[in-house]
Amino acid sequence: AAAKDAAVAALTAQGCTVDVSDLYAMKFKAAATTEDITGGVKDAESFCYAKEIKLASEEGKLAEDIKKEQEKLKEADLVIFQFPMYWSSVPAIMKGWMDRVLGFAYAQEKRYSEGIFKDKKAMLSFTTDCPESVYSDTGINGDINVTLWPLQNGILNYCGFQVFAPQIFWDPATGSPESHSSMLEGWRTRLQNLCGEATVYFAPMDYFDKEKGFLLKPEVKEKYASKESGLTVGIHMGKPLPANSQTKAGV
């Protein structure tokens, strides 16, 4: 709550209009079910949530709670996902929000750099229950950049969002009041200049050949052949991963 409150105050002070979706207070339904579609589904026998939710969105037949959240998204320039990291990911209720609310953005024809939110920005801001060393490239949980790839690339970048580097509050539960104050002050300071930051790098859609199963084009592979590290965390081309590419912009 402290990180959320600090962000709301800092952004409001800059003249931004801030709309908060407190999923627990809202008792937001996490499960993606047929109840999300009013008036019945098109194909009950071979039910496919992704297809049905896209059609329902186009026809205005979504459940009210989804409609309200989608309206907020359409108005937003920046979306901040604030959460405690659970099992190296987001809590179930937030994953449910992503499944249900972002369903209309899941499209083969408009994704990644061509996704429907390509003119919007997003970022993750989260707390952990461990120090930074645990999520290092020699730590027991593994490299945090690998952990973040499915969230930042597989969800946010897939939908087209330009993604700011995450704000990570390492192990605040064991910190002193002074360390808490320092973390929050660093967050407030960052928010004052956030719009001027570069975003995390992801390979654009035109790097891939649609006719060959969306593999990297030969000319792109040739371009990066002499590089010491791979293109991104997921598209590493059998090379060492680019260091800090999911936690720092422009890497």
Side-chain angles (χ1 to χ4, degrees):
K4 181 264 291 180
D5 291 343
V8 170
L11 293 170
T12 301
Q14 296 177 53
C16 300
T17 299
V18 181
D19 202 342
V20 176
S21 290
D22 185 332
L23 301 184
Y24 289 108
M26 294 161 57
K27 294 182 171 54
F28 189 82
K29 183 173 84 75
T33 67
T34 56
E35 295 174 2
D36 297 342
I37 300 157
T38 62
V41 300
K42 301 290 186 184
D43 187 353
E45 284 191 22
S46 303
F47 177 70
C48 174
Y49 187 84
K51 291 180 180 178
E52 294 282 355
I53 207 72
K54 191 171 186 298
L55 288 171
S57 178
E58 293 169 354
E59 297 174 3
K61 294 182 178 180
L62 293 174
E64 282 302 313
D65 61 342
I66 297 178
K67 284 183 182 179
K68 289 178 181 177
E69 294 304 296
Q70 288 184 349
E71 285 304 313
K72 293 176 186 178
L73 271 180
K74 290 172 184 176
E75 293 294 321
D77 296 308
L78 166 67
V79 182
I80 300 176
F81 295 88
Q82 181 67 55
F83 61 95
M85 179 171 274
Y86 286 0
W87 293 103
S88 296
S89 187
V90 297
I93 196 168
M94 182 171 285
K95 181 55 168 61
W97 184 97
M98 292 172 170
D99 291 343
R100 298 179 68 225
V101 177
L102 296 178
F104 75 116
Y106 186 82
Q108 297 290 318
E109 64 276 11
K110 290 186 178 181
R111 54 180 169 164
Y112 295 115
S113 57
E114 298 172 7
I116 68 170
F117 295 136
K118 63 183 180 180
D119 296 322
K120 298 179 184 294
K121 293 182 171 65
M123 71 179 300
L124 306 178
S125 174
F126 59 91
T127 56
T128 72
D129 65 350
C130 59
E132 186 173 2
S133 60
V134 174
Y135 274 102
S136 69
D137 58 6
T138 56
I140 193 169
N141 282 2
D143 190 340
I144 188 66
N145 292 276
V146 175
T147 301
L148 292 173
W149 176 257
L151 293 171
Q152 296 193 154
N153 178 73
I155 299 177
L156 301 184
N157 181 44
Y158 188 100
C159 292
F161 284 112
Q162 299 170 56
V163 184
F164 285 124
Q167 182 72 20
I168 308 176
F169 299 89
W170 295 106
D171 199 17
T174 61
S176 65
E178 291 76 21
S179 69
H180 293 167
S181 296
S182 178
M183 286 181 184
L184 292 173
E185 187 56 37
W187 181 216
R188 294 187 192 97
T189 300
R190 184 183 178 193
L191 286 166
Q192 290 175 5
N193 304 294
L194 186 64
C195 290
E197 287 187 10
T199 52
V200 172
Y201 174 77
F202 297 101
M205 277 289 287
D206 61 10
Y207 272 21
F208 303 90
D209 190 335
K210 181 179 179 180
E211 303 304 319
K212 295 184 178 179
F214 288 101
L215 290 172
L216 279 176
K217 294 177 178 177
E219 60 267 31
V220 176
K221 292 175 69 175
E222 183 179 351
K223 176 182 177 181
Y224 287 90
S226 61
K227 303 287 185 180
E228 292 184 2
S229 60
L231 190 58
T232 60
V233 169
I235 307 158
H236 51 71
M237 302 166 63
K239 298 182 179 185
L241 304 186
N244 302 316
S245 64
Q246 291 296 296
T247 55
K248 293 183 180 179
V251 176

